[in-house]
Amino acid sequence: MRKNNAFQRIVILLFFFFIIIFNTAYSQYVETGQDPSRLRWKQIVTKNFQIIYPVEIEEEAIRASRSLEKVYLYVSYSLHHEPKKISVILHPQSSVSNAFVVWAPKRVEFYTIPDQDIYPQNWIDQLVIHEFRHVVQLDKLNQGLTKILYFLLGQQAIGAVAGLYLPLWFLEGDAVVTETALSHTGRGRLPEFTMPLRTQVLQRKIYSYEKAYFGSFRDFVPNYYYLGYQLVGYTRNRYPSEVWSKSVDNAARRPYNPMPFNQGIKRSTGLSKWKLYDSCMYFLRNDWRLQQDSTTFSTRVDTIHFNDTKTFTSYRFPQYLSDGKVIALKSGLGDIQQYVLTGPGNKEKTIFVPGYFNPRMLSASHNKIVWAEYGFDKRWSNRIYSNLIVFNADKRINQRIKLTRKKHLFAPAFSKDGSMIAAVESKGNGRYCISVFETKSGRLLKEIFHPENDYPIMPAWDSEGSKLYTIMLDDDGKRIDEISISKAEFKTIFRSGYMDISQPVASSDHVFFRSVYSGIDNIYAFRFKDSSVYQVTSVKYGAFDPCLNRSQDTLLFSSYTANGYQISRIPLDTANWISLSDIKDQSVKLYPELAKQELGIPLPVLNKDTVAEGLTIKRYRKGTHLFYLHSWAPLYINANTYEVNSGITVFSQNKLSTAISKLAYLYNYSDRTGTTEGSFTYKGWFPVLSIAASRGQRLGLDTTGNDAVFKFKEDKLTLSASVPLNLTRGKYGQGITSSVYNYTSSFVRNDETPSYFKTGVRNIFEYDIRGFRYLKMAPRDLLPKWGQTFRLNYRQSPFGKFDYGNSFVGQAALLFPGILKHHSLRLDFGGQINENGSYIFSNYLLYPRGYFSQVNQRFSRIIAEYRLPLCYPDWKVGPILYLKRIKGLLFYDYGDGRNKGSSRYYNSTGIELTGDMHLFNFVAPIELGARGIYFPHDQYFRIEFLFNIIFSAL
């Protein structure tokens, strides 16, 4: 019985293992895009790191090298593992602040422009601690049986074991714990970071482990970062700090066990991960209740309640317009981001849907609002701009103006009279400034640089338009500076240090801002006349986005609840304000004990002249770094055709993700034939260029009637060039890709090839253009509300002995909203014409459901689909299944085929019933269900099984 169980475990392991490998191979492993080809690169090589960076940001690269070497032993300490050398790539031209670690190919990537909602630590230092902890986690897996898998499969084995067994809540929670314990700040010290989970537990209930980890379409569930910090931090507070180190060891050494990480937790704590989760949540709920009971809250807060209170919906960044109405950014489980105007009776009206952006603030003056919105480079995905958008909300105008182009601008703010806009700007070389623009023309009026390049955050104007009040960040934390615009002089008026402050708003007597002194995010005020600080609001869960009315006697803000952020207001009565000296922090703190378990606080590196051990700086030549062998397999793997066969495959992808290569040998045991193939794709120039070649034997069937088989030789060469363009603009994601291909095949006889076998060269040219345009989607949407796709394809065989004639394919699909919210109607039209050839091209159009692809000279089809969600059950069946959503699809497919004077019609109709779920606690969602097909012509009914793993949802 034990042997059978072990065998079943291995079968399940291999099933998911190769699913992950197929997914990574199909997506060219982890390829995050490219930087502009004109960039020149350098590298800093130290004892433990290689930092690759564009020459313009050498100062930031040197800081990264110092910080990485300084934290090496500190970050490695509590996991008891010192990782091997790794490369770190810096990208300075993306306005999306981010970083990640990937393991196939193994590297770290930093996007170096800081976020405006940054906690009080240098951005590079934040990334260094958090991302290097991920390096330690993953490198630690390379031991035991996993190391044997590494020898067999390369780096993809480490990534597959991590994807199978290390839950995302551990990977991210452990990294947040580390950034918190090894610094004076970190997200674990921020009330905003604990707020979503605290609010859910206190206002709603403790959800099941599966719901907390995998999320829900019915309720808002805080993501695995929030969950992970609490679970990892709680466990290290209550049990020996080696719990997580030993659990990772167990996952690495026993990947044949279906739940080795959980087994490691149980060995150290005596609890399964489910019981550990329950223990953590009950502990937090009790302590959060004590915090709430010991805190005095504001009683004069007036909250604007809207019609839909059941679905999680947020209203952020409320601003007064000139007529006294309030505009805010609405979003939620059922809604994409949209600006709404509130009217009498708390009714709302959508006035504009913005494009893609990461909202941090909104500013209004008179009837105009301004925000920063992403601008995507047409070709280079690692160059993303952030430009100023002005919208006139006057119902007679409703005009959107793009004020700037190809800039990296953030947190714009109108002057009080609306004539000027101040925004934080990244100059692309590691320098930052506050740029002031004329609203009417977009003309740049002034750039204000801090002499030490301290980072400015969310500028706010005074009432005269001559000064700015701005949060500034340096190595000692945050402060508020008063900036003289005419003199470009900075004067510090208040320093909060490592206590987070954000979102300043200036009045004639005060600067209001958000801060964390009470252990809950609230609004505070700095008084000019005596430099004193007061707490203005005291809400249960969190107050954000302060805004003053014109008479400056009412404060508008967003207050967090379990249903989302709600617009609230409070009269400004200084008699009810609390002096900073009287404020007590009653929050639940896991981080003091976590800090005691570490070696100390390594950053910042105070001596800026410190040089990392073994540091050398030299040029990084793109042409000599085209190959980086990272993974292999003792099998032939073709992810494009989902083929696995005997043979060997080797994968290469360089560190800048510009060159992707594959070398493979396929041996077919049944045919006793072998083929060698190789491919190379280069994405570092404006067109994407590819070449693929193969040489080997194939098996042919004797057509003279004796059913004998024979072998022949085939050489293939494929050349292609394509130009993928990102044309995203406004609320629609859109793009177009143009491609040209040349396929050359040479057929040669060998000793056993019959004489009638046709030899020679087959040469095919293919021209393809395809595009899409989709409206942004809300989490509950099954498809975009509006969308269009098209494809035009032409193939010909002008040369060689094999005449395929010509083939033309046209296809278009249209998406429309359905009858109810989140319903969708899709119409798909397509046609293919093959003509004038001795041979016929393959079909590019799918036939109606239930039919196999068939040979036709002309084929046209129409597909109609209606999708709808049926329910969001959040059902759990032990550790086997967690069902998030059940959905339906009604379809009717029609096809018309013509071949050599005969016609055939294909039509089918039916229904699909599927569920979005997680099986065996596998992190990628799975779509599982059945399709019932009825064939009207044959009066026949058939049921098909549907299964799909949705890796794109991760």
Side-chain angles (χ1 to χ4, degrees), residues 12 43 312 505 870:
I12 293 172
Q43 60 180 317
F312 182 92
V505 174
L870 299 176

Side-chain angles (χ1 to χ4, degrees), residues 724-736:
L725 299 178
N726 185 343
L727 304 178
T728 295
R729 184 175 182 272
K731 61 187 177 182
Y732 286 94
Q734 50 195 12
I736 189 168

